[in-house]
């Protein structure tokens, strides 16, 4: 899908392009390619003179492979954007290309973004830019606003994580945690821990991208200050993710502790039962000996006496253990 965005009365207007000829009708500041086809890439190269690299979506982590400037003046930024999906939270790699200086190409002053699936941050920016005149003035502003919205999206996701951990914490700290409930809580905590880690990686990647923009001297004074504010917001998110990691570890330890308590209760019952059965076992062993002279062997009540003695020796310790509260 190929979408272009133009400015009209200070608002961002979206147009979906279905043919090469339609590109000449607009003067966009942003061209968004979502899962572009070979034909759509050919349109971009033919009209704008921009070649989309084959490795644009590679998972390289080296800074030199993700943030660089070509000899022809094209600025390349590859950054990850978070998708907070209940079933499959993930990060999507987005490649940005911005030609700032080459006036010989129609791509000058146009931001190009390439990604494999729709990104919530992109939808958020489109909605805001349609409703707020003057929010965006040029292609660099689009890129900054995307990173700003990404930091805000991460902050909202962190708040959701905190809410989920509050629910899990109430279940754990109420006591009487069964093994089934403990397993459910551990699963929920593990999911939030994974999401928190993704957010931390995502904001770290956003910090690197914004810092690269500041070092490249592509921003004016107002945009540079906006970039500094984004970095300050990201720093506060780092502190919050660290706090959530501590909370996650506490809830994880508490849940595992309740599981150990339940296991200890089971083991205690078996231990008490084993101790209670030792006296009857001793009595049975004695009367199982093959001695010729044993008074009870010739006694008509010897067998009932032995049974009663074994029962009494078993019930006595059980009564004592229950009185002491060891069976609770």
């Amino acid at each position: 899908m190929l979408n272009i965005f133009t400015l009209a009365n200070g608002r961002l207007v979206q147009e979906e392009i279905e043919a090469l000829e339609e590109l000449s009708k607009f003067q966009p500041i942003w061209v968004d390619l979502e899962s572009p086809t070979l034909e759509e890439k050919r349109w971009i190269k033919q009209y704008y003179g921009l070649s989309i690299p084959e490795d644009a979506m590679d998972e390289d982590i080296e800074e030199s492979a993700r943030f660089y400037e070509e000899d022809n003046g094209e600025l390349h930024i590859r950054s990850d954007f978070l998708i907070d999906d209940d079933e499959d939270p993930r990060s999507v790699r987005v490649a940005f290309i911005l030609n700032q200086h080459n006036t010989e190409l129609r791509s000058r002053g146009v931001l190009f973004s390439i990604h494999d699936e729709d990104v919530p941050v992109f939808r958020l920016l489109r909605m805001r830019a349609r409703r707020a005149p003057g929010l965006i003035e040029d292609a660099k502003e689009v890129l900054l606003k995307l990173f700003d919205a990404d930091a805000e999206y991460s902050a909202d996701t962190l708040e959701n994580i905190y809410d989920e951990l509050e629910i899990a914490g109430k279940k754990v700290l109420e006591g009487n945690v069964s093994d089934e409930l403990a397993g459910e809580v551990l699963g929920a905590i593990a999911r939030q821990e994974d999401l928190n880690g993704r957010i931390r990686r995502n904001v770290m990647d956003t910090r690197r991208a914004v810092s690269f923009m500041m070092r490249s001297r592509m921003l004016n004074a107002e945009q540079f200050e906006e970039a500094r504010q984004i970095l300050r917001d990201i720093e506060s998110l780092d502190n919050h993710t660290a706090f959530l990691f501590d909370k996650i570890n506490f809830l994880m330890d508490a849940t595992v502790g309740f599981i150990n308590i339940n296991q200890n209760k089971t083991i205690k019952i078996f231990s008490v039962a084993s101790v209670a059965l030792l006296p009857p076992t001793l009595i049975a062993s004695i009367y199982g000996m093959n001695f010729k002279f044993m008074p009870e062997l010739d006694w008509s009540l010897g067998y009932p006496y032995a049974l009663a003695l074994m029962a009494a020796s078993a019930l006595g310790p059980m009564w004592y253990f229950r009185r002491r509260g060891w069976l609770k």
Side-chain angles (χ1 to χ4, degrees):
M1 183 183 299
L2 195 159
N3 293 305
I4 66 172
F5 298 86
T6 61
L7 283 178
N9 297 323
R11 289 185 171 88
L12 202 62
V13 179
Q14 178 178 350
E15 300 288 348
E16 185 172 338
I17 301 300
E18 298 181 355
L20 174 61
E21 295 75 18
E22 297 181 11
L23 290 174
S24 60
K25 301 178 182 179
F26 306 98
Q27 294 181 344
I29 64 169
W30 180 20
V31 176
D32 184 45
L33 297 95
E34 179 183 339
S35 300
T37 63
L38 292 176
E39 185 179 23
E40 290 171 342
K41 291 180 180 180
R42 181 176 57 81
W43 295 348
I44 296 299
K45 180 175 178 57
Q46 183 175 341
Y47 187 79
Y48 291 104
L50 178 73
S51 297
I52 298 176
E54 293 296 329
D55 61 346
M57 309 308 297
D58 285 356
E59 295 294 328
D60 293 326
I61 61 174
E62 295 85 0
E63 186 167 356
S64 60
R66 300 183 63 179
F67 313 103
Y68 60 93
E69 187 172 356
E70 294 281 11
D71 295 336
N72 61 3
E74 290 178 356
L75 197 70
H76 290 254
I77 296 177
R78 300 175 186 177
S79 186
D80 295 332
F81 287 81
L82 180 69
I83 296 181
D84 180 17
D85 186 275
D86 292 337
E87 300 296 330
D88 182 26
R90 59 198 180 277
S91 295
V92 176
R93 175 65 54 83
V94 180
F96 296 103
I97 304 175
L98 177 61
N99 170 23
Q100 301 184 87
H101 310 297
N102 193 341
T103 58
E104 297 178 0
L105 300 176
R106 292 192 180 100
S107 62
R108 182 178 182 274
V110 180
L111 175 67
F112 295 85
S113 57
I114 306 97
H115 48 100
D116 291 332
E117 58 181 305
D118 191 21
V119 182
V121 169
F122 283 38
R123 295 196 304 268
L124 178 62
L125 177 64
R126 293 195 297 263
M127 179 184 67
R128 287 179 175 177
R130 285 196 301 265
R131 296 179 178 178
L135 180 67
I136 293 175
E137 297 179 355
D138 56 21
K140 294 180 292 184
E141 197 78 32
V142 172
L143 193 53
L144 268 181
K145 293 298 183 184
L146 283 173
F147 289 133
D148 186 24
D150 187 41
E152 183 177 343
Y153 182 80
S154 297
D156 292 340
T157 307
L158 284 175
E159 291 180 1
N160 294 336
I161 292 177
Y162 188 84
D163 292 339
E164 292 295 327
L165 292 179
E166 281 290 304
I167 296 174
K170 289 181 180 179
K171 292 180 180 179
V172 172
L173 300 179
E174 284 178 354
N176 297 323
V177 180
S178 64
D179 290 344
E180 293 78 9
L181 179 59
E184 176 186 340
V185 171
L186 281 177
I189 295 174
R191 287 192 295 271
Q192 302 310 316
E193 193 277 338
D194 175 71
L195 184 56
N196 194 45
R198 291 180 182 275
I199 293 174
R200 185 152 199 167
R201 178 190 174 190
N202 185 71
V203 296
M204 179 185 69
D205 184 82
T206 302
R207 176 192 289 115
R208 294 171 65 190
V210 174
S211 298
F212 173 74
M213 293 178 64
M214 297 173 70
R215 292 194 306 270
S216 65
R217 299 180 180 178
M218 59 180 289
L219 306 175
N220 58 37
E222 184 178 349
Q223 292 169 342
F224 192 87
E225 182 58 33
E226 183 177 356
R228 293 182 61 182
Q229 181 58 48
I230 294 174
L231 293 181
R232 286 193 289 267
D233 293 341
I234 289 175
E235 184 178 357
S236 67
L237 292 180
D238 275 343
N239 296 333
H240 200 57
T241 55
F243 164 75
L244 285 179
F245 273 127
D246 292 339
K247 187 174 181 65
I248 287 171
N249 289 332
F250 164 73
L251 291 177
M252 191 79 71
D253 293 342
T255 306
V256 172
F258 278 110
I259 293 176
N260 292 334
I261 290 174
N262 291 340
Q263 292 177 343
N264 291 338
K265 288 180 180 178
T266 303
I267 294 174
K268 182 177 70 173
I269 292 175
F270 281 108
S271 300
V272 169
S274 300
V275 172
L277 292 176
L278 284 177
T281 303
L282 175 63
I283 295 172
S285 299
I286 293 174
Y287 285 101
M289 298 177 181
N290 295 316
F291 290 113
K292 181 176 182 181
F293 299 103
M294 186 175 288
E296 290 83 3
L297 292 179
D298 296 327
W299 186 25
S300 59
L301 298 179
Y303 178 64
Y305 168 76
L307 291 180
L309 189 60
M310 286 188 288
S313 64
L315 294 176
M318 293 294 291
W319 171 82
Y320 178 76
F321 294 153
R322 180 176 293 277
R323 185 176 180 182
R324 295 297 300 270
W326 294 351
L327 295 179
K328 296 181 180 179

